[in-house]
Amino acid sequence: MGVVLEVKGLSFRYDKKQDRGNVSDVSFQLREGEWTALIGHNGSGKSTLAHLLVGLLQPDEGQIKINGSVSKKDAESENIGIVFQNPENQFIGTTVEDDVAFGLENLNMPYKEMRARVDKALEDVGMLDYRMTDPSQLSGGQKQRVAIAGMLALQPKVLILDEAFVMLDPRSRKELMVTIRKLTNQGMTILSITHDMDEAAQADKVIVMKQGQIMKVESPALLFIADSTLEKPFAEKLREALKSRKCEVPDKYMTEKEMVQWICKSN
């Protein structure tokens, strides 16, 4: 998998008089078809970093490269799309398809190409049958998928989800996770900013931020076993609880799917 996004030495301070930056000397890479979770406590710099990536803020130092080229201010929003935790704040159109087409209309895209992109984006997120529906009539998970479709229609290189799961019920969260994995399997690069360790556990790798700096970049399996300071995802909490009760459980990190398979096999 090739590197899609490369960040080198990125730094930013809201208050230029302060010695410590809100984001300090941050460097990392995102690869094609990879789902990366960005975690950290409130004030760690996660949202500031996201705003730098999409061009809402300009860095004091450092570079953002997309497919090997240094990103320009006017190009960042085209190459990197962002979906926030409340999708209703991003809705413009009176129907689902109108809303997904809104960004394309602003680009004066020819109708035939715009129609093809809208159809493809809605199909990718499983919302094609709702194209003529009023967005306000959708469930929380459906609204979030429409917001994602609006970004996908613009064909960004990277999609950022900023706490996109936080307002969803368990069923909608599961459906959205399936959608995200489907998109990465198709080659989309996704960065999800989250406080939810169960969401982070689904990602291919996890970036841990603290006080504006990147502390670790690991796979979920390595991170949640090695770092005792982090809250564990549900499956790991269950494994540790069973182990503390002298149950014979595998001595390794397990995903939810692996845990379910192990329980079924044990019974």
Side-chain angles (χ1 to χ4, degrees), residues 40-57:
H41 296 299
N42 287 334
S44 62
K46 304 187 303 299
S47 292
T48 300
L49 176 58
H51 292 165
L52 288 166
L53 294 179
V54 299
L56 294 176
L57 296 173

Side-chain angles (χ1 to χ4, degrees), residues 7 16 48 61 77 81 92-93 109 114 124 126 131 133-134 148 153 163 169 186 197 200 243 251 261-262:
V7 175
K16 307 306 180 185
T48 300
E61 297 177 15
S77 60
I92 301 295
M109 184 171 290
M114 181 169 60
D124 284 344
R131 61 186 311 152
T133 303
D134 182 340
I148 290 173
E163 300 286 359
D169 60 81
Q186 294 174 352
M197 296 303 105
K243 186 176 180 179
D251 193 24
Q261 290 174 342
W262 176 79

